[in-house]
Amino acid sequence: MRAMKRLVILISGRGSNMQAIIRAAAAEQWPAQIVAVICNRPQAKGLQIASDAGIATVVVDHQSYADRATFDAALAAAIDQFAPDLVVLAGFLRILTTEFVSRYQGRMLNIHPSLLPSFPGLATHSQALSSGVKVHGATVHFVTPDLDHGPIVAQATVAVEENDTEASLGSRVLEQEHSIYPQAIRDFIEGRIALENGQVVRT
Ligand code: GRF
C-alpha cells in the first residue's frame, strides 16, 4: 500500500476551498490525510469547519509578530511540526517571505481567483470587470517568491456576462475553484504532477 501523504492547509477566512478539499479527500478516499489547518486569524470561520471535520487547528496570529520574518518563522515552525508532504494555501491572505517560500519549494500550492498572469493581487473580479475581459477564471499554481505567479498547474475559465457584478462573477469563479483545486491536489498526492526546474511536469 502507498504511504499516506500528509497535507497542511493554510487559511485566513471563510475556508470554502478548504472545505471542498476536505470533502473531496473523504469522498474520493485520497491516499492522504489532512493533518492540520493553520490560520493567521483567530476569528476565521474556516477554523470551525476544520475542527468540525476532526482536523487539528492551529492559529498563528500575524498581529502577535513584529514583522514578516518573525511571523513566517513561527508559521514555518507550526507547519513543520506536522511534517507535511504538501502545503496548501487556500485563501491564505498573507504575503510570504522568500525564505519561507523557498523552504516549501515544489511542495506548496496556491489558488488565485483569476486567469494568471492576468490580475494578480486583490479584487480580481472587479479588475476583470473594469478591464472588459470576456473570459475570467481561476488558477492553481506552485508557489514561488513572485507573488501570485508561479508555474501553473490548472486553470478553469468562466465567461463574463454583460450584467455580471463582482459578486455574481466571483461566485461562478469560486464554483470552479472548488473543482480544480481538489483535483490538482489529488494529482500532486498521487504523483501525477511535480515541479522540476521551475516547470510543472506531468507523469
Ligand atoms: C478564494 O477566492 C481564493 O481563490 C482566494 O481567496 C478566496 C478564499 O476563499 N485566494 P475561501 O476562504 O476558500 O472560501
Side-chain angles (χ1 to χ4, degrees), residues 11-203:
I11 63 167
S12 293
R14 176 177 61 180
S16 72
N17 276 290
M18 173 202 72
Q19 189 169 31
I21 295 159
I22 293 170
R23 284 196 180 134
E28 299 168 9
Q29 299 186 312
W30 292 0
Q33 193 190 351
I34 301 163
V35 288
V37 168
I38 300 178
C39 182
N40 65 308
R41 292 209 178 108
Q43 308 301 335
K45 285 220 174 83
L47 283 169
Q48 189 62 48
I49 300 172
S51 50
D52 287 350
I55 298 167
T57 60
V58 178
V59 173
V60 184
D61 186 347
H62 62 276
Q63 291 186 324
S64 311
Y65 297 88
D67 53 32
R68 255 183 228 294
T70 49
F71 169 72
D72 279 10
L75 186 61
I79 293 170
D80 291 350
Q81 65 175 336
F82 294 100
D85 298 289
L86 179 66
V87 177
V88 175
L89 305 185
F92 187 68
L93 305 176
R94 296 289 303 168
I95 293 170
L96 297 162
T97 56
T98 299
E99 198 191 349
F100 180 92
V101 170
S102 308
R103 188 182 186 89
Y104 303 103
Q105 187 87 10
R107 55 188 181 108
M108 182 156 65
L109 293 173
N110 183 42
I111 187 146
H112 183 76
S114 79
L115 291 174
L116 290 173
S118 291
F119 317 133
L122 297 173
T124 56
H125 310 311
S126 93
Q127 290 189 61
L129 289 173
S130 56
S131 73
V133 292
K134 302 299 179 203
V135 179
H136 185 42
T139 304
V140 178
H141 63 94
F142 279 102
V143 180
T144 62
D146 199 3
L147 180 69
D148 289 335
H149 286 278
I152 293 173
V153 173
Q155 289 186 311
T157 59
V158 164
V160 180
E161 309 293 346
E162 223 153 86
N163 53 1
D164 258 329
T165 61
E166 226 181 303
S168 65
L169 182 57
S171 79
R172 294 206 307 287
V173 171
L174 192 62
E175 209 175 295
Q176 294 301 315
E177 294 182 36
H178 294 166
S179 144
I180 62 171
Y181 209 8
Q183 182 61 55
I185 293 165
R186 186 176 177 183
D187 283 347
F188 181 90
I189 287 163
E190 296 185 343
R192 283 186 292 279
I193 56 162
L195 186 66
E196 277 176 26
N197 302 319
Q199 296 210 310
V200 178
V201 292
R202 292 193 169 264
T203 53

